[in-house]
Amino acid sequence: MAFKSLALLVAIASVFQFTWVLATPVKKTACPNSSHSAINAACCTWFDVLDDMQANLFDGAECGEEAHSALRIAFHDAIGFSTKGGKGGGADGSIIANGDVELEFAANNGIEDIATPLQALADAHGKSYGDIIQFSAAVAVADCPGGARLQFLAGRPNATLITPDGTVPDPFNTVDVILARMADAGFSSDELIALLTSHTIAAADKIDITIPGTPFDSTPGTFDTQIFIEVLLNAIHTPGAGLQQGEVKAPLAGLMRLQSDFELSRDSRTACTWQSFANNPKLMNQKFTAAMAKLAVLGQNVRHLIDCSEVIPTPATNTVPPFLPAGKHQSDIHQACAATPFPSLPIQPGPQQSIAPVPPS
Ligand SMILES: *[C@@H]1O[C@H](CO)[C@@H](O)[C@H](O)[C@H]1NC(C)=O
Ligand SMILES: *[C@@H]1O[C@H](CO)[C@@H](O)[C@H](O)[C@H]1NC(C)=O
């Protein structure tokens, strides 16, 4: 009994201690010429970049076309890295610094639309291109309801290498080829699926140029789990000008489905991880945050970077639980994970919808 009371006392004491820690205000320094204050004064200038970026790149902190473009450039820049060396320098901004070469690669088609304004922002604020790219990706995710709050480390030096062509996995590559390229860059198959969370806000402009802004899931303005549900639905629709290279049929009119998403969702090596995110936004965001933290510093010496995560805004929550789109049923789901049945989901009410494109701004 005495032992029990002691344990209780210890428990109460640690609760108090915890509350005390939470209640102690973190000391912040007012940033010069700004409405912001920072725990680390060295991060102050990033608040100026944030204000400029939100107003002038993200159209007032919108989860729109530029948000998915920011995630796309963050991946395409960083993935140029190889653990064996001999490729690019990773998350170093070479896609901007050497844009005359790298933006000509077929896999980087359309990236100039985000590379150009990011270069201008970096130059205006005296930031490196490697930093501005990873910063824009973290801000983009924060602008999306349901998004994760990503880590942001600052201080990447200018790029010293030009990334060769062929480092970005193509949507028409086989699963074997994609997994091998990701492993070469240092990522497991689970981390690849976590990174593909980015497709929840994706839309394609260049795969089928007759229908710019074709979204990959029915809720492109929300950082939800719908991509992990909708890629597993049986597909009947061929959008736009017919199936392009790297594209397969989609489950709803107006949607685009990448061949690589389709195959990764059904491959025995990746299907269960894919399914595990379908009704678990918390797990999805945890794994995405970890994989992005790794991607954002590929090729960098993190001991030379400073943590300015405090500058990244807190995303709005998404209150809509995972669902099957209107007109679809549980039987339309392709059961690809052999170990666990696909979770039972509510069906969105109403008639089946055609999905509208993400308008360019
Ligand atoms: C703050 O603004 C003043 C007046 O515009 C300017 O002279 C000064 O250099 C600015 N300081 C910083 C740190 O930006
Ligand atoms: C990094 O690149 C930018 C843009 O090309 C340039 O203005 C800056 O001086 C470079 N910084 C260093 C340290 O070389």
Side-chain angles (χ1 to χ4, degrees):
M1 197 61 195
F3 177 75
K4 216 173 173 184
S5 336
L6 183 65
L8 187 66
L9 263 179
V10 171
I12 290 170
S14 36
V15 166
F16 272 115
Q17 196 173 18
F18 185 57
T19 316
W20 182 80
V21 169
L22 282 182
T24 308
V26 185
K27 197 168 155 26
K28 288 194 178 189
T29 312
C31 293
N33 292 350
S34 151
S35 58
H36 300 285
S37 54
I39 300 166
N40 184 347
C43 297
C44 274
T45 55
W46 282 104
F47 280 111
D48 301 334
V49 183
L50 175 71
D51 293 343
D52 196 352
M53 185 177 273
Q54 292 285 42
N56 301 310
L57 179 64
F58 293 134
D59 309 312
E62 245 182 36
C63 181
E65 204 203 5
E66 289 79 13
H68 77 74
S69 297
L71 275 180
R72 185 165 175 237
I73 194 173
F75 178 69
H76 285 226
D77 186 44
I79 206 65
F81 182 78
S82 170
T83 54
K84 301 182 196 74
K87 292 196 169 78
D92 62 356
S94 71
I95 200 168
I96 292 178
N98 303 303
D100 54 337
V101 177
E102 296 185 27
L103 293 175
E104 295 302 315
F105 303 157
N108 290 337
N109 191 4
I111 286 196
E112 63 277 7
D113 294 350
I114 190 83
T116 305
L118 283 180
Q119 179 165 23
L121 271 170
D123 291 347
H125 292 272
K127 299 302 187 189
S128 73
Y129 300 147
D131 276 357
I132 201 81
I133 287 174
Q134 298 306 324
F135 182 71
S136 74
V139 175
V141 174
D143 284 348
C144 299
R149 193 157 179 245
L150 301 184
Q151 182 183 56
F152 172 63
L153 305 183
R156 291 166 192 74
N158 283 354
T160 55
L161 295 171
I162 300 184
T163 306
D165 197 3
T167 62
V168 180
D170 280 309
F172 50 84
N173 288 152
T174 62
V175 171
D176 282 353
V177 167
I178 294 171
L179 294 184
R181 174 71 270 276
M182 293 305 291
D184 177 48
F187 290 89
S188 68
S189 57
D190 281 354
E191 288 170 326
L192 165 65
I193 303 306
L195 288 173
L196 285 171
T197 296
S198 59
H199 286 182
T200 185
I201 59 165
D205 290 330
K206 305 287 183 180
I207 293 179
D208 183 337
I209 55 170
T210 66
I211 40 165
T214 314
F216 290 7
D217 76 15
S218 65
T219 54
T222 310
F223 214 84
D224 57 17
T225 66
Q226 291 306 120
I227 188 79
F228 294 108
I229 297 164
E230 295 176 19
V231 169
L232 285 171
L233 287 169
N234 294 330
I236 39 177
H237 290 276
T238 304
L243 293 179
Q244 309 294 310
Q245 190 185 33
E247 184 187 9
V248 296
K249 284 184 182 179
L252 295 167
L255 276 193
M256 172 165 291
R257 181 185 278 173
L258 295 185
Q259 183 183 324
S260 47
D261 283 355
F262 172 86
E263 289 180 3
L264 287 162
S265 70
R266 288 155 172 82
D267 190 280
S268 61
R269 291 164 285 184
T270 43
C272 291
T273 303
W274 185 284
Q275 177 182 292
S276 71
F277 297 150
N279 72 337
N280 196 339
K282 197 175 160 194
L283 180 70
M284 178 189 85
N285 272 346
Q286 263 171 16
K287 301 288 184 184
F288 178 68
T289 301
M292 284 300 288
K294 187 167 164 178
L295 183 82
V297 298
L298 272 191
Q300 298 294 324
N301 184 342
V302 292
R303 281 175 294 134
H304 296 165
L305 304 180
I306 58 167
D307 193 338
C308 288
S309 304
E310 60 173 308
V311 180
I312 306 303
T314 301
T317 46
N318 167 40
T319 52
V320 182
F323 60 86
L324 290 172
K328 298 291 180 183
H329 299 94
Q330 200 76 21
S331 59
D332 296 320
I333 290 282
H334 179 112
Q335 175 67 51
C337 170
T340 325
F342 192 84
S344 174
L345 298 174
I347 300 170
Q348 192 181 36
Q352 193 165 123
Q353 307 268 336
S354 175
I355 309 303
V358 178
S361 43

